[in-house]
Amino acid sequence: MIRTGLAVVATAALLTGIAGAQQQAPPAAPPPVDFSKVEIKTTDLGDGVYMLEGQMLGSIGGNITVATAQDGIIMVDSEFAPLHDKIKAAIAVISNLPVKYLINTHFHGDHTGGNEPFARDGALVVSEVNVKTRLAAGTTNGLTAARTPPASAGALPGKTYTGAFKIRMNGRVADLKHIANAHTDGDTYVWFKTANVLSTGDTFTNGRYPNIDFANGGNIKGMIAATDAYLKLTNARSRIVPGHGPIADKAALKEYRTMLVTARDRMAELVKDGKSEDDAVAAKPFADLDAKWAPTELASKNFIRVVYHSLADKPAAEKKPLLKRILHRS
């Protein structure tokens, strides 16, 4: 009887462990993209500036901005490496001049995947300094714990900047500026003043919740600061190229900012009340926003989680052991 009882207990414990492991298993990876089926859509924004999108049952990768000059092309972001030839062919329809500069708005692979092949073509890859640091070191996704290995040397930016940077070509100027701790810690927006075109990278995603990469320096407060900067810069006639989604105007940007502020304020109350991340997800604080901004239930939950981490996680300096903090102050 004793042995039988022990066997029952052991079996129950084993089943409980299996069930727990199943509950904690990471979500299945999405199926690989068939890049052969992706088509590049080109939208003329006027004054020699264009938006390129990779399309296959929705957008694939981040949006690309192409700005022509008399002596070459400035390109903002590059999607994935397997799309290099298709992107290059789409650019050739616009101009037969070479891509001289490729600007990375941040380090994520759907915006930097084409760095190496375009660099081989002769483009100088430009980014905020943290982009190169992240690419060189490799990164970890804060939501899934998925690890992205370090990029190859050929994929690293050849020119980095801090604060602000200006690219001057014959008949074209691109103003680059760093937004601290927004989508990531290395975000750049690009302003083509004469064309009245703004490229935001993933600090602005039109018609959908953004990803805020809190594990790599992102924070909803920085996202709001980014939209504030864009609203000061643009006017009613501006064309805004978001990181993802269709071309936007200032009215769409204002709506996006309202959503971000609403999300921040609601989550701040939950954090103030001591709610956990799971409590926040269960509360569904953005349920009324989901109809417009969340294409899936997973997108809704992920946005809750990234906003929660933005407001609940302690800054890195505060996570240092007390003795180290005391010695640092001394």
Side-chain angles (χ1 to χ4, degrees):
M1 291 296 292
I2 294 175
R3 289 178 181 174
T4 302
L6 290 173
V8 170
V9 171
T11 301
L14 178 62
L15 292 174
T16 300
I18 293 172
Q22 289 174 338
Q23 290 174 356
Q24 296 172 9
V33 174
D34 184 351
F35 289 105
S36 68
K37 296 182 179 179
V38 176
E39 297 182 359
I40 305 299
K41 175 186 174 183
T42 300
T43 302
D44 188 344
L45 306 181
D47 192 37
V49 181
Y50 302 81
M51 183 175 85
L52 274 55
E53 304 168 77
Q55 294 195 321
M56 186 187 77
L57 300 177
S59 64
I60 300 295
N63 292 329
I64 294 171
T65 307
V66 171
T68 61
Q70 295 176 23
D71 51 344
I73 289 170
I74 299 171
M75 180 175 169
V76 183
D77 289 332
S78 60
E79 295 211 8
F80 300 102
L83 293 176
H84 165 263
D85 291 350
K86 291 188 176 185
I87 294 168
K88 191 173 178 180
I91 294 174
V93 174
I94 296 169
S95 170
N96 60 5
L97 293 171
V99 176
K100 291 288 190 70
Y101 297 94
L102 168 55
I103 302 166
N104 291 160
T105 59
H106 60 287
F107 72 85
H108 290 154
D110 58 334
H111 293 256
T112 62
N115 278 9
E116 188 162 11
F118 276 102
R120 283 198 301 266
D121 292 340
L124 176 63
V125 181
V126 181
S127 77
E128 199 276 334
V129 66
N130 287 323
V131 172
K132 185 173 184 178
T133 301
R134 296 286 184 186
L135 286 173
T139 53
T140 300
N141 185 301
L143 289 178
T144 67
R147 175 73 180 168
T148 299
S152 64
L156 299 179
K159 169 66 180 177
T160 60
Y161 80 94
T162 57
F165 186 68
K166 193 181 293 284
I167 295 175
R168 296 182 184 274
M169 297 184 69
N170 192 357
R172 180 71 64 192
V173 176
D175 289 299
L176 287 62
K177 190 166 184 181
H178 174 51
I179 295 287
N181 301 107
H183 174 60
T184 67
D185 61 2
D187 297 301
T188 289
Y189 72 78
V190 186
W191 175 233
F192 297 101
K193 184 176 181 178
T194 58
N196 200 8
V197 172
L198 174 67
S199 297
T200 68
D202 283 2
T203 54
F204 171 42
T205 51
N206 190 17
R208 67 187 74 180
Y209 288 135
N211 170 37
I212 303 173
D213 192 348
F214 61 88
N216 294 289
N219 193 289
I220 192 169
K221 297 176 183 177
M223 297 289 279
I224 294 169
T227 59
D228 288 340
Y230 304 156
L231 289 171
K232 290 180 180 178
L233 199 61
T234 57
N235 57 43
R237 296 181 303 279
S238 299
R239 312 300 299 278
I240 303 170
V241 179
H244 296 268
I247 194 71
D249 57 13
K250 191 168 185 174
L253 185 62
K254 287 180 179 178
E255 190 174 7
Y256 175 79
R257 183 190 186 279
T258 297
M259 177 273 293
L260 290 178
V261 171
T262 300
R264 178 201 62 190
D265 292 348
R266 291 179 184 177
M267 186 59 70
E269 288 297 318
L270 293 176
V271 172
K272 181 180 177 181
D273 290 343
K275 302 298 184 183
S276 69
E277 181 181 342
D278 288 340
D279 291 337
V281 172
K284 298 182 177 180
F286 313 144
D288 58 322
L289 304 175
D290 287 349
K292 176 174 177 59
W293 302 98
T296 65
E297 183 179 358
L298 179 60
S300 172
K301 290 181 178 179
N302 283 349
F303 187 60
I304 294 171
R305 293 185 186 280
V306 297
V307 176
Y308 178 87
H309 281 282
S310 287
L311 301 178
D313 291 356
K314 293 181 179 179
E318 295 182 21
K319 294 180 180 180
K320 293 180 181 179
L322 179 59
L323 178 59
K324 286 187 177 181
R325 279 185 276 153
I326 293 173
L327 291 173
H328 178 72
R329 293 193 191 105
S330 301

